[in-house]
Coordinates of all heavy atoms in Angstrom, one line a residue:
M1453 N -68.2 2.0 62.7 CA -66.9 1.3 62.8 C -67.2 -0.2 62.6 O -66.4 -0.9 62.0 CB -66.2 1.5 64.1 CG -64.9 0.9 64.2 SD -63.8 1.6 63.0 CE -62.2 0.9 63.4
R1454 N -68.3 -0.7 63.1 CA -68.6 -2.2 62.9 C -68.8 -2.5 61.5 O -68.5 -3.6 61.1 CB -69.9 -2.5 63.7 CG -69.7 -2.5 65.2 CD -70.9 -3.0 65.9 NE -70.7 -3.0 67.3 CZ -71.6 -3.3 68.2 NH1 -72.8 -3.6 67.8 NH2 -71.3 -3.2 69.5
I1455 N -69.3 -1.7 60.7 CA -69.5 -1.9 59.3 C -68.2 -1.8 58.5 O -67.9 -2.5 57.6 CB -70.6 -1.0 58.7 CG1 -72.0 -1.3 59.3 CG2 -70.7 -1.1 57.2 CD1 -73.1 -0.4 58.9
L1456 N -67.4 -0.8 58.9 CA -66.2 -0.5 58.2 C -65.2 -1.7 58.3 O -64.6 -2.0 57.3 CB -65.6 0.8 58.8 CG -64.3 1.3 58.1 CD1 -64.6 1.5 56.6 CD2 -63.8 2.5 58.8
L1457 N -65.0 -2.3 59.4 CA -64.0 -3.4 59.6 C -64.4 -4.6 58.7 O -63.5 -5.0 57.9 CB -63.9 -3.8 61.1 CG -62.9 -4.8 61.4 CD1 -61.5 -4.3 60.9 CD2 -62.9 -5.1 62.9
P1458 N -65.6 -5.1 58.7 CA -65.9 -6.2 57.8 C -65.7 -5.8 56.3 O -65.3 -6.6 55.5 CB -67.4 -6.5 58.1 CG -67.6 -6.0 59.5 CD -66.7 -4.8 59.6
L1459 N -66.1 -4.6 56.0 CA -65.9 -4.1 54.6 C -64.4 -4.1 54.2 O -64.1 -4.6 53.2 CB -66.5 -2.7 54.5 CG -66.4 -2.1 53.1 CD1 -67.1 -2.9 52.0 CD2 -66.9 -0.7 53.1
L1460 N -63.6 -3.6 55.1 CA -62.1 -3.6 54.8 C -61.6 -5.0 54.7 O -60.8 -5.3 53.8 CB -61.4 -2.9 55.9 CG -61.5 -1.4 56.0 CD1 -60.9 -0.8 57.2 CD2 -61.0 -0.7 54.7
C1461 N -62.1 -5.9 55.5 CA -61.6 -7.3 55.4 C -62.1 -7.9 54.1 O -61.3 -8.6 53.4 CB -62.2 -8.1 56.6 SG -61.5 -7.7 58.2
A1462 N -63.3 -7.7 53.7 CA -63.8 -8.2 52.4 C -63.0 -7.7 51.3 O -62.7 -8.4 50.3 CB -65.3 -7.8 52.3
L1463 N -62.7 -6.4 51.3 CA -61.9 -5.8 50.2 C -60.5 -6.4 50.2 O -59.9 -6.7 49.1 CB -61.8 -4.3 50.4 CG -63.1 -3.5 50.1 CD1 -62.9 -2.0 50.4 CD2 -63.6 -3.7 48.7
S1464 N -59.9 -6.6 51.3 CA -58.6 -7.3 51.4 C -58.6 -8.7 50.8 O -57.7 -9.1 50.1 CB -58.1 -7.3 52.8 OG -57.9 -6.0 53.3
L1465 N -59.6 -9.4 51.2 CA -59.8 -10.8 50.7 C -60.0 -10.8 49.2 O -59.5 -11.7 48.5 CB -60.9 -11.5 51.4 CG -60.6 -11.9 52.9 CD1 -61.8 -12.5 53.5 CD2 -59.4 -12.8 53.0
A1466 N -60.8 -9.8 48.7 CA -61.0 -9.8 47.2 C -59.7 -9.5 46.5 O -59.4 -10.1 45.4 CB -62.0 -8.7 46.9
G1467 N -58.9 -8.6 47.1 CA -57.6 -8.4 46.5 C -56.7 -9.6 46.4 O -56.0 -9.9 45.5
L1468 N -56.7 -10.4 47.5 CA -55.9 -11.6 47.5 C -56.4 -12.6 46.5 O -55.7 -13.3 45.8 CB -56.0 -12.3 48.9 CG -55.2 -11.6 50.0 CD1 -55.5 -12.2 51.4 CD2 -53.7 -11.6 49.7
A1469 N -57.7 -12.7 46.4 CA -58.3 -13.6 45.4 C -57.9 -13.2 44.0 O -57.5 -14.1 43.2 CB -59.8 -13.6 45.5
R1470 N -57.9 -11.9 43.7 CA -57.4 -11.5 42.3 C -55.9 -11.8 42.2 O -55.5 -12.2 41.1 CB -57.6 -10.0 42.2 CG -59.1 -9.7 41.8 CD -59.1 -8.2 41.3 NE -58.7 -7.3 42.3 CZ -59.5 -6.8 43.2 NH1 -60.7 -7.2 43.3 NH2 -59.0 -5.9 44.1
A1471 N -55.1 -11.7 43.2 CA -53.7 -12.0 43.1 C -53.5 -13.5 42.8 O -52.7 -13.8 41.9 CB -53.0 -11.6 44.3
N1472 N -54.3 -14.3 43.5 CA -54.2 -15.7 43.2 C -54.6 -16.1 41.8 O -54.0 -17.0 41.2 CB -55.0 -16.5 44.3 CG -54.3 -16.5 45.6 OD1 -53.1 -16.2 45.8 ND2 -55.1 -16.6 46.7
D1473 N -55.7 -15.5 41.3 CA -56.2 -15.7 40.0 C -55.1 -15.3 39.0 O -54.8 -16.0 38.0 CB -57.4 -14.9 39.7 CG -58.7 -15.5 40.4 OD1 -58.6 -16.7 40.9 OD2 -59.7 -14.8 40.5
D1474 N -54.4 -14.2 39.2 CA -53.4 -13.7 38.3 C -52.2 -14.7 38.3 O -51.7 -15.1 37.2 CB -52.8 -12.3 38.7 CG -53.8 -11.2 38.5 OD1 -54.8 -11.5 37.7 OD2 -53.7 -10.1 39.0
D1475 N -51.8 -15.2 39.5 CA -50.8 -16.2 39.6 C -51.1 -17.5 38.8 O -50.3 -18.1 38.1 CB -50.4 -16.5 41.0 CG -49.8 -15.4 41.8 OD1 -49.3 -14.4 41.1 OD2 -49.8 -15.4 43.0
H1476 N -52.4 -17.9 39.0 CA -52.9 -19.1 38.3 C -52.8 -18.9 36.8 O -52.4 -19.8 36.1 CB -54.3 -19.4 38.8 CG -54.9 -20.5 38.2 ND1 -54.6 -21.8 38.5 CD2 -55.9 -20.7 37.2 CE1 -55.3 -22.7 37.8 NE2 -56.1 -22.0 37.0
E1477 N -53.2 -17.8 36.3 CA -53.2 -17.5 34.9 C -51.8 -17.5 34.3 O -51.5 -18.0 33.3 CB -53.9 -16.2 34.5 CG -55.4 -16.4 34.3 CD -55.7 -17.5 33.3 OE1 -55.2 -17.5 32.2 OE2 -56.6 -18.4 33.7
R1478 N -50.8 -16.9 35.1 CA -49.4 -16.8 34.7 C -48.9 -18.2 34.6 O -48.1 -18.6 33.6 CB -48.6 -16.0 35.7 CG -48.7 -14.5 35.5 CD -47.8 -13.8 36.3 NE -47.0 -14.7 37.2 CZ -46.2 -14.2 38.2 NH1 -46.1 -13.0 38.4 NH2 -45.6 -15.1 39.0
A1479 N -49.2 -19.1 35.5 CA -48.7 -20.5 35.5 C -49.3 -21.2 34.3 O -48.6 -22.0 33.7 CB -49.0 -21.2 36.8
R1480 N -50.6 -21.0 34.1 CA -51.2 -21.7 32.9 C -50.6 -21.3 31.6 O -50.4 -22.1 30.7 CB -52.7 -21.4 32.9 CG -53.5 -22.1 34.0 CD -54.9 -21.8 34.0 NE -55.5 -22.3 32.7 CZ -56.8 -22.2 32.4 NH1 -57.6 -21.7 33.3 NH2 -57.2 -22.7 31.3
E1481 N -50.3 -20.0 31.5 CA -49.6 -19.5 30.3 C -48.2 -20.1 30.2 O -47.8 -20.5 29.1 CB -49.6 -18.0 30.3 CG -50.9 -17.3 30.0 CD -51.4 -17.7 28.6 OE1 -50.6 -17.7 27.6 OE2 -52.6 -18.0 28.5
A1482 N -47.5 -20.3 31.3 CA -46.2 -20.8 31.2 C -46.2 -22.3 30.8 O -45.4 -22.8 30.1 CB -45.5 -20.7 32.6
V1483 N -47.3 -23.0 31.2 CA -47.4 -24.4 30.8 C -47.7 -24.4 29.3 O -47.1 -25.2 28.5 CB -48.6 -25.1 31.5 CG1 -48.9 -26.5 30.9 CG2 -48.2 -25.3 33.0
R1484 N -48.6 -23.5 28.8 CA -48.9 -23.5 27.4 C -47.6 -23.2 26.5 O -47.5 -23.7 25.4 CB -50.0 -22.4 27.1 CG -51.3 -23.0 27.3 CD -52.3 -21.9 26.9 NE -52.8 -21.3 28.2 CZ -54.0 -20.8 28.5 NH1 -54.8 -20.8 27.5 NH2 -54.3 -20.4 29.6
R1485 N -46.8 -22.3 27.1 CA -45.5 -21.9 26.3 C -44.4 -23.0 26.5 O -43.4 -22.8 25.8 CB -45.0 -20.6 26.9 CG -45.9 -19.4 26.5 CD -45.2 -18.1 26.8 NE -44.8 -18.0 28.2 CZ -45.5 -17.5 29.2 NH1 -46.7 -16.9 28.9 NH2 -45.0 -17.4 30.4
G1486 N -44.6 -24.0 27.3 CA -43.6 -25.0 27.5 C -42.6 -24.6 28.5 O -41.5 -25.3 28.6
E1487 N -42.8 -23.6 29.2 CA -41.8 -23.1 30.2 C -42.0 -23.9 31.6 O -41.1 -23.9 32.4 CB -41.9 -21.6 30.5 CG -41.7 -20.8 29.3 CD -42.0 -19.3 29.6 OE1 -42.3 -19.0 30.8 OE2 -42.0 -18.5 28.7
L1488 N -43.1 -24.5 31.8 CA -43.5 -25.1 33.0 C -44.2 -26.4 32.7 O -45.1 -26.4 31.9 CB -44.4 -24.1 33.8 CG -45.0 -24.6 35.1 CD1 -43.9 -24.8 36.2 CD2 -46.0 -23.6 35.6
L1489 N -43.8 -27.5 33.4 CA -44.5 -28.7 33.3 C -45.8 -28.7 34.0 O -45.9 -28.0 35.0 CB -43.6 -29.9 33.9 CG -42.3 -30.2 33.2 CD1 -41.5 -31.2 33.9 CD2 -42.5 -30.6 31.7
S1490 N -46.8 -29.4 33.6 CA -48.1 -29.4 34.3 C -47.9 -30.2 35.6 O -47.0 -31.0 35.8 CB -49.1 -30.1 33.4 OG -48.8 -31.5 33.3
L1491 N -48.9 -29.9 36.5 CA -48.8 -30.6 37.8 C -49.0 -32.1 37.5 O -48.4 -33.0 38.2 CB -50.0 -30.1 38.7 CG -50.1 -30.8 40.0 CD1 -48.8 -30.7 40.8 CD2 -51.3 -30.3 40.8
E1492 N -49.8 -32.5 36.5 CA -50.0 -33.9 36.2 C -48.6 -34.6 35.9 O -48.3 -35.7 36.3 CB -51.0 -34.1 35.0 CG -51.2 -35.5 34.6 CD -52.2 -35.6 33.5 OE1 -52.2 -34.7 32.6 OE2 -53.0 -36.5 33.5
R1493 N -47.8 -33.9 35.1 CA -46.5 -34.4 34.7 C -45.6 -34.5 35.9 O -44.8 -35.4 36.0 CB -45.9 -33.5 33.6 CG -44.6 -34.0 33.1 CD -44.7 -35.2 32.2 NE -43.4 -35.6 31.8 CZ -42.9 -36.9 32.0 NH1 -43.6 -37.8 32.5 NH2 -41.7 -37.2 31.6
I1494 N -45.6 -33.4 36.7 CA -44.8 -33.4 37.9 C -45.1 -34.6 38.8 O -44.2 -35.3 39.3 CB -44.9 -32.1 38.7 CG1 -44.4 -30.9 37.9 CG2 -44.3 -32.2 40.1 CD1 -42.9 -30.9 37.7
L1495 N -46.4 -34.9 39.0 CA -46.8 -36.0 39.8 C -46.4 -37.4 39.2 O -46.2 -38.3 39.9 CB -48.3 -35.9 40.2 CG -48.7 -34.8 41.1 CD1 -50.2 -34.7 41.2 CD2 -48.0 -34.9 42.4
A1496 N -46.4 -37.4 37.9 CA -46.0 -38.7 37.2 C -44.5 -38.9 37.4 O -44.0 -40.0 37.6 CB -46.3 -38.6 35.7
L1497 N -43.7 -37.8 37.5 CA -42.3 -37.9 37.7 C -41.9 -38.2 39.2 O -40.9 -38.8 39.5 CB -41.6 -36.6 37.3 CG -41.5 -36.3 35.8 CD1 -41.1 -34.9 35.5 CD2 -40.7 -37.4 35.1
H1498 N -42.8 -37.7 40.1 CA -42.6 -37.9 41.5 C -43.9 -38.4 42.2 O -44.6 -37.7 42.8 CB -42.2 -36.5 42.1 CG -41.0 -35.9 41.5 ND1 -39.7 -36.2 41.9 CD2 -40.9 -35.0 40.5 CE1 -38.9 -35.6 41.2 NE2 -39.5 -34.8 40.3
P1499 N -44.1 -39.7 42.0 CA -45.4 -40.3 42.5 C -45.5 -40.2 44.0 O -44.4 -40.3 44.7 CB -45.4 -41.7 41.9 CG -44.0 -42.0 41.5 CD -43.3 -40.7 41.3
L1500 N -46.7 -40.2 44.5 CA -46.9 -40.2 45.9 C -46.6 -41.6 46.4 O -46.7 -42.6 45.7 CB -48.4 -39.9 46.2 CG -48.9 -38.5 45.7 CD1 -50.4 -38.4 46.1 CD2 -48.1 -37.4 46.1
R1501 N -46.1 -41.6 47.7 CA -45.9 -42.9 48.3 C -47.2 -43.5 48.7 O -48.2 -42.8 48.8 CB -45.1 -42.7 49.6 CG -43.7 -42.2 49.3 CD -43.0 -41.8 50.6 NE -41.6 -41.3 50.4 CZ -40.9 -40.7 51.3 NH1 -41.3 -40.6 52.5 NH2 -39.7 -40.3 51.0
P1502 N -47.3 -44.8 48.9 CA -48.5 -45.5 49.3 C -49.1 -44.8 50.5 O -48.5 -44.6 51.5 CB -48.1 -46.9 49.6 CG -46.9 -47.1 48.7 CD -46.2 -45.8 48.7
G1503 N -50.4 -44.5 50.4 CA -51.1 -43.8 51.5 C -50.9 -42.4 51.7 O -51.5 -41.7 52.6
E1504 N -50.0 -41.8 50.9 CA -49.7 -40.4 50.9 C -50.8 -39.5 50.2 O -51.3 -40.0 49.2 CB -48.3 -40.1 50.3 CG -47.6 -38.9 50.8 CD -46.2 -38.9 50.3 OE1 -45.9 -39.2 49.1 OE2 -45.3 -38.6 51.1
R1505 N -51.0 -38.3 50.7 CA -52.0 -37.4 50.1 C -51.3 -36.1 49.8 O -50.5 -35.6 50.6 CB -53.2 -37.2 51.0 CG -54.0 -38.4 51.2 CD -55.2 -38.0 52.0 NE -54.9 -37.2 53.2 CZ -55.7 -36.4 53.8 NH1 -57.0 -36.4 53.5 NH2 -55.3 -35.7 54.8
L1506 N -51.6 -35.5 48.7 CA -51.1 -34.2 48.3 C -52.0 -33.2 49.0 O -53.3 -33.2 48.8 CB -51.2 -34.0 46.8 CG -50.8 -32.6 46.2 CD1 -49.3 -32.4 46.5 CD2 -51.1 -32.6 44.7
I1507 N -51.4 -32.3 49.9 CA -52.3 -31.4 50.7 C -52.1 -29.9 50.2 O -52.9 -29.1 50.5 CB -52.1 -31.6 52.2 CG1 -50.6 -31.4 52.6 CG2 -52.6 -32.9 52.6 CD1 -50.4 -31.4 54.1
E1508 N -51.0 -29.6 49.6 CA -50.8 -28.2 49.1 C -49.8 -28.2 48.0 O -48.8 -29.0 47.9 CB -50.2 -27.4 50.3 CG -50.1 -25.9 49.9 CD -49.6 -25.1 51.1 OE1 -49.5 -25.6 52.2 OE2 -49.3 -23.9 50.9
V1509 N -50.0 -27.3 47.0 CA -49.2 -27.1 45.9 C -49.0 -25.6 45.7 O -49.9 -24.8 45.8 CB -49.8 -27.6 44.5 CG1 -48.9 -27.3 43.4 CG2 -50.0 -29.1 44.6
E1510 N -47.7 -25.2 45.6 CA -47.4 -23.8 45.3 C -46.5 -23.8 44.1 O -45.6 -24.7 43.9 CB -46.6 -23.1 46.5 CG -47.5 -22.9 47.7 CD -46.7 -22.2 48.8 OE1 -45.8 -21.5 48.4 OE2 -47.1 -22.3 49.9
I1511 N -46.7 -22.8 43.2 CA -45.9 -22.6 42.0 C -45.3 -21.2 42.2 O -46.0 -20.3 42.3 CB -46.6 -22.8 40.7 CG1 -47.3 -24.1 40.6 CG2 -45.7 -22.6 39.5 CD1 -48.3 -24.3 39.5
E1512 N -44.0 -21.1 42.1 CA -43.3 -19.8 42.3 C -42.3 -19.6 41.2 O -41.8 -20.6 40.6 CB -42.6 -19.7 43.7 CG -43.5 -19.9 44.8 CD -42.8 -19.9 46.2 OE1 -41.6 -20.1 46.2 OE2 -43.5 -19.7 47.2
R1513 N -41.9 -18.4 41.0 CA -40.7 -18.0 40.2 C -39.6 -17.6 41.2 O -39.8 -16.8 42.0 CB -41.0 -16.8 39.3 CG -42.0 -17.0 38.2 CD -41.5 -17.6 37.0 NE -40.6 -16.7 36.3 CZ -40.0 -17.1 35.2 NH1 -40.2 -18.3 34.7 NH2 -39.2 -16.3 34.5
D1514 N -38.5 -18.4 41.1 CA -37.4 -18.1 42.0 C -36.2 -17.9 41.1 O -35.7 -18.8 40.4 CB -37.2 -19.3 43.0 CG -36.1 -19.0 44.0 OD1 -35.8 -17.8 44.3 OD2 -35.6 -20.0 44.5
Q1515 N -35.7 -16.6 41.1 CA -34.5 -16.2 40.3 C -34.7 -16.6 38.9 O -33.8 -17.2 38.2 CB -33.2 -16.9 40.9 CG -32.9 -16.4 42.3 CD -31.7 -17.1 42.9 OE1 -31.1 -17.9 42.3 NE2 -31.3 -16.6 44.1
G1516 N -35.9 -16.3 38.4 CA -36.2 -16.6 37.0 C -36.6 -18.0 36.6 O -36.8 -18.3 35.5
R1517 N -36.7 -18.9 37.6 CA -37.0 -20.3 37.4 C -38.3 -20.6 38.0 O -38.5 -20.2 39.2 CB -35.8 -21.1 37.9 CG -36.1 -22.6 37.9 CD -34.9 -23.4 38.4 NE -34.7 -23.2 39.8 CZ -33.6 -23.7 40.4 NH1 -32.7 -24.4 39.8 NH2 -33.5 -23.5 41.7
W1518 N -39.1 -21.4 37.3 CA -40.4 -21.9 37.9 C -40.1 -23.0 38.8 O -39.3 -23.9 38.5 CB -41.3 -22.4 36.8 CG -42.0 -21.3 36.0 CD1 -41.6 -20.9 34.8 CD2 -43.1 -20.5 36.4 NE1 -42.4 -19.9 34.3 CE2 -43.3 -19.6 35.3 CE3 -43.9 -20.5 37.5 CZ2 -44.4 -18.7 35.3 CZ3 -44.9 -19.5 37.5 CH2 -45.2 -18.7 36.5
E1519 N -40.7 -23.0 40.0 CA -40.5 -24.1 41.0 C -41.9 -24.5 41.5 O -42.7 -23.7 41.8 CB -39.6 -23.7 42.1 CG -38.2 -23.5 41.8 CD -37.3 -23.2 43.0 OE1 -37.8 -23.2 44.1 OE2 -36.2 -22.8 42.7
Y1520 N -42.1 -25.8 41.6 CA -43.2 -26.4 42.4 C -42.8 -26.7 43.8 O -41.7 -27.2 44.0 CB -43.6 -27.7 41.7 CG -44.5 -27.6 40.5 CD1 -44.0 -27.6 39.2 CD2 -45.9 -27.6 40.7 CE1 -44.8 -27.5 38.1 CE2 -46.7 -27.5 39.6 CZ -46.2 -27.5 38.3 OH -47.0 -27.4 37.2
E1521 N -43.6 -26.4 44.7 CA -43.5 -26.8 46.1 C -44.7 -27.7 46.5 O -45.8 -27.2 46.5 CB -43.4 -25.6 47.0 CG -42.1 -24.8 46.8 CD -42.0 -23.6 47.8 OE1 -42.7 -23.6 48.8 OE2 -41.1 -22.8 47.5
L1522 N -44.4 -28.9 46.7 CA -45.5 -29.9 47.0 C -45.4 -30.2 48.5 O -44.3 -30.5 49.0 CB -45.4 -31.2 46.2 CG -45.3 -31.0 44.7 CD1 -45.2 -32.4 44.1 CD2 -46.4 -30.3 44.1
E1523 N -46.6 -30.2 49.2 CA -46.6 -30.7 50.6 C -47.5 -31.9 50.6 O -48.6 -31.9 50.1 CB -47.3 -29.6 51.4 CG -47.1 -29.8 52.9 CD -47.5 -28.6 53.7 OE1 -46.9 -27.5 53.5 OE2 -48.4 -28.7 54.6
L1524 N -46.9 -33.0 51.1 CA -47.5 -34.3 51.1 C -47.7 -34.8 52.6 O -46.8 -34.6 53.4 CB -46.7 -35.3 50.3 CG -46.2 -34.8 49.0 CD1 -45.0 -35.6 48.5 CD2 -47.4 -34.9 48.0
L1525 N -48.8 -35.4 52.8 CA -49.1 -36.0 54.1 C -49.2 -37.5 54.1 O -50.0 -38.1 53.3 CB -50.5 -35.4 54.6 CG -50.9 -35.9 56.0 CD1 -50.0 -35.4 57.1 CD2 -52.3 -35.4 56.3
G1526 N -48.4 -38.1 54.9 CA -48.3 -39.6 54.9 C -49.4 -40.1 55.9 O -49.9 -39.4 56.7
E1527 N -49.6 -41.4 55.8 CA -50.6 -42.1 56.6 C -50.2 -41.9 58.1 O -51.1 -41.9 59.0 CB -50.7 -43.6 56.3 CG -51.5 -43.9 55.1 CD -51.6 -45.4 54.8 OE1 -50.6 -46.1 55.2 OE2 -52.6 -45.8 54.3
D1528 N -48.9 -41.8 58.4 CA -48.4 -41.7 59.8 C -48.5 -40.3 60.3 O -48.1 -40.0 61.4 CB -47.0 -42.3 59.9 CG -46.0 -41.5 59.0 OD1 -46.4 -40.6 58.2 OD2 -44.9 -41.9 59.0
G1529 N -49.0 -39.4 59.5 CA -49.1 -38.0 59.9 C -47.9 -37.1 59.6 O -47.9 -35.9 59.9
R1530 N -46.9 -37.7 59.1 CA -45.7 -37.0 58.7 C -45.9 -36.2 57.5 O -46.5 -36.6 56.5 CB -44.5 -37.9 58.6 CG -44.1 -38.5 59.9 CD -42.8 -39.3 59.7 NE -42.4 -39.9 61.0 CZ -41.3 -40.6 61.1 NH1 -40.5 -40.8 60.1 NH2 -41.0 -41.1 62.3
V1531 N -45.3 -35.0 57.4 CA -45.4 -34.1 56.2 C -44.1 -34.2 55.5 O -43.0 -34.1 56.1 CB -45.7 -32.7 56.7 CG1 -45.6 -31.8 55.4 CG2 -47.0 -32.6 57.3
R1532 N -44.2 -34.4 54.2 CA -43.0 -34.4 53.3 C -43.1 -33.2 52.3 O -44.2 -33.0 51.8 CB -42.9 -35.7 52.6 CG -41.7 -35.8 51.7 CD -41.5 -37.3 51.2 NE -42.5 -37.7 50.4 CZ -42.4 -38.1 49.1 NH1 -41.2 -38.0 48.5 NH2 -43.4 -38.5 48.4
E1533 N -42.1 -32.4 52.2 CA -42.1 -31.3 51.2 C -41.1 -31.5 50.1 O -40.0 -31.9 50.4 CB -41.9 -30.0 52.0 CG -42.9 -29.6 53.0 CD -42.6 -28.3 53.7 OE1 -41.7 -27.6 53.3 OE2 -43.4 -28.0 54.7
L1534 N -41.5 -31.3 48.9 CA -40.7 -31.4 47.8 C -40.6 -30.1 47.0 O -41.6 -29.4 46.8 CB -41.2 -32.5 46.8 CG -41.5 -33.9 47.3 CD1 -42.1 -34.7 46.1 CD2 -40.3 -34.5 47.8
E1535 N -39.4 -29.7 46.7 CA -39.2 -28.6 45.8 C -38.7 -29.2 44.4 O -37.7 -29.9 44.4 CB -38.1 -27.6 46.3 CG -38.5 -26.7 47.3 CD -37.5 -25.7 47.7 OE1 -36.7 -25.3 46.9 OE2 -37.4 -25.3 48.9
I1536 N -39.4 -28.8 43.4 CA -39.1 -29.4 42.1 C -39.0 -28.3 41.0 O -39.8 -27.4 41.0 CB -40.3 -30.3 41.7 CG1 -40.4 -31.4 42.8 CG2 -40.1 -30.9 40.3 CD1 -41.7 -32.3 42.7
D1537 N -38.0 -28.4 40.2 CA -37.8 -27.5 39.1 C -39.0 -27.7 38.1 O -39.2 -28.8 37.6 CB -36.5 -27.8 38.3 CG -36.2 -26.9 37.2 OD1 -36.9 -27.0 36.2 OD2 -35.3 -26.0 37.4
G1538 N -39.7 -26.6 37.9 CA -40.9 -26.6 37.1 C -40.7 -26.9 35.6 O -41.6 -27.4 35.0
A1539 N -39.5 -26.6 35.1 CA -39.2 -26.8 33.7 C -38.7 -28.2 33.4 O -39.2 -28.8 32.4 CB -38.2 -25.8 33.2
S1540 N -37.9 -28.7 34.2 CA -37.3 -30.1 34.0 C -37.9 -31.2 34.8 O -37.8 -32.4 34.4 CB -35.8 -30.0 34.3 OG -35.6 -29.9 35.7
G1541 N -38.5 -30.8 35.9 CA -39.1 -31.8 36.8 C -38.1 -32.4 37.8 O -38.4 -33.3 38.5
A1542 N -36.9 -31.9 37.8 CA -35.8 -32.4 38.6 C -36.1 -32.0 40.1 O -36.6 -30.9 40.4 CB -34.4 -31.8 38.3
L1543 N -35.8 -33.0 41.0 CA -36.0 -32.7 42.4 C -34.9 -31.8 42.9 O -33.7 -32.1 42.8 CB -36.0 -34.0 43.2 CG -36.2 -34.0 44.7 CD1 -37.6 -33.4 45.0 CD2 -36.0 -35.3 45.3
L1544 N -35.3 -30.7 43.5 CA -34.3 -29.7 44.0 C -34.0 -29.9 45.5 O -32.9 -29.7 46.0 CB -34.8 -28.3 43.8 CG -35.0 -27.9 42.3 CD1 -35.7 -26.5 42.2 CD2 -33.7 -27.9 41.5
D1545 N -35.1 -30.3 46.2 CA -34.9 -30.4 47.7 C -36.1 -31.3 48.2 O -37.2 -31.2 47.7 CB -34.9 -29.1 48.4 CG -34.5 -29.1 49.8 OD1 -33.7 -30.1 50.2 OD2 -34.8 -28.2 50.6
E1546 N -35.8 -32.0 49.2 CA -36.8 -32.8 49.9 C -36.6 -32.7 51.4 O -35.5 -32.8 51.9 CB -36.8 -34.3 49.5 CG -37.8 -35.2 50.1 CD -37.8 -36.6 49.6 OE1 -36.9 -36.9 48.7 OE2 -38.6 -37.4 50.0
D1547 N -37.7 -32.4 52.1 CA -37.7 -32.2 53.5 C -38.8 -33.1 54.1 O -40.0 -33.0 53.7 CB -37.9 -30.7 53.9 CG -37.7 -30.5 55.4 OD1 -36.9 -31.2 56.0 OD2 -38.3 -29.6 55.9
E1548 N -38.5 -33.9 55.1 CA -39.4 -34.7 55.7 C -39.4 -34.6 57.3 O -38.3 -34.5 57.9 CB -39.1 -36.2 55.4 CG -40.3 -37.1 55.7 CD -40.1 -38.5 55.0 OE1 -39.2 -38.7 54.2 OE2 -40.9 -39.4 55.4
D1549 N -40.6 -34.4 57.9 CA -40.7 -34.3 59.3 C -40.2 -35.6 59.9 O -40.4 -36.7 59.4 CB -42.1 -34.1 59.8 CG -42.7 -32.7 59.4 OD1 -41.9 -31.9 59.1 OD2 -43.9 -32.5 59.6
D1550 N -39.5 -35.5 61.0 CA -39.1 -36.7 61.8 C -39.8 -36.9 63.0 O -40.5 -36.1 63.6 CB -37.6 -36.5 62.1 CG -36.7 -36.6 60.9 OD1 -37.0 -37.4 60.0 OD2 -35.7 -35.9 60.9

């Protein structure tokens, strides 16, 4: 049983890594086809505030539309989250910790 549990965990993690690789490839193909703006372009349209750091990026398909979700950390420790339309770069939603 001691060997089985770590093995099952390793197999589960390997499956997650493959899923993330597939998502990454789908997003890269969407950028190549012009359906999705690159992260570089998104950050040019929505620059970080002074002292802010990008701590997480997610790219999702929501109702047939690509969306970026950016999580940003300010110098004061506050987290700001942006939802951005992946095709146009338009800001869809912004949420900031108070």
Side-chain angles (χ1 to χ4, degrees):
M1453 187 65 172
R1454 287 184 181 179
I1455 294 173
L1456 185 57
L1457 186 58
L1459 179 60
L1460 289 174
C1461 290
L1463 290 174
S1464 296
L1465 291 175
L1468 287 175
R1470 278 196 301 276
N1472 289 337
D1473 287 345
D1474 291 344
D1475 292 344
H1476 179 75
E1477 275 306 310
R1478 282 188 354 189
R1480 287 180 64 178
E1481 285 299 316
V1483 169
R1484 278 183 260 212
R1485 289 190 306 268
E1487 298 172 7
L1488 177 65
L1489 296 174
S1490 67
L1491 179 58
E1492 180 180 37
R1493 182 72 181 126
I1494 292 295
L1495 292 174
L1497 293 169
H1498 303 279
L1500 303 182
R1501 295 175 181 169
E1504 201 169 48
R1505 293 183 317 158
L1506 179 63
I1507 57 173
E1508 185 176 352
V1509 176
E1510 290 183 25
I1511 304 171
E1512 300 177 344
R1513 293 276 291 178
D1514 186 21
Q1515 298 178 357
R1517 172 175 68 185
W1518 286 101
E1519 290 183 8
Y1520 277 93
E1521 292 181 13
L1522 307 181
E1523 194 168 302
L1524 310 161
L1525 180 64
E1527 283 183 325
D1528 58 1
R1530 291 184 179 184
V1531 174
R1532 182 167 67 114
E1533 295 180 7
L1534 304 178
E1535 278 186 36
I1536 300 169
D1537 183 287
S1540 70
L1543 181 63
L1544 301 173
D1545 192 25
E1546 181 174 1
D1547 185 31
E1548 193 166 351
D1549 290 348
D1550 290 323

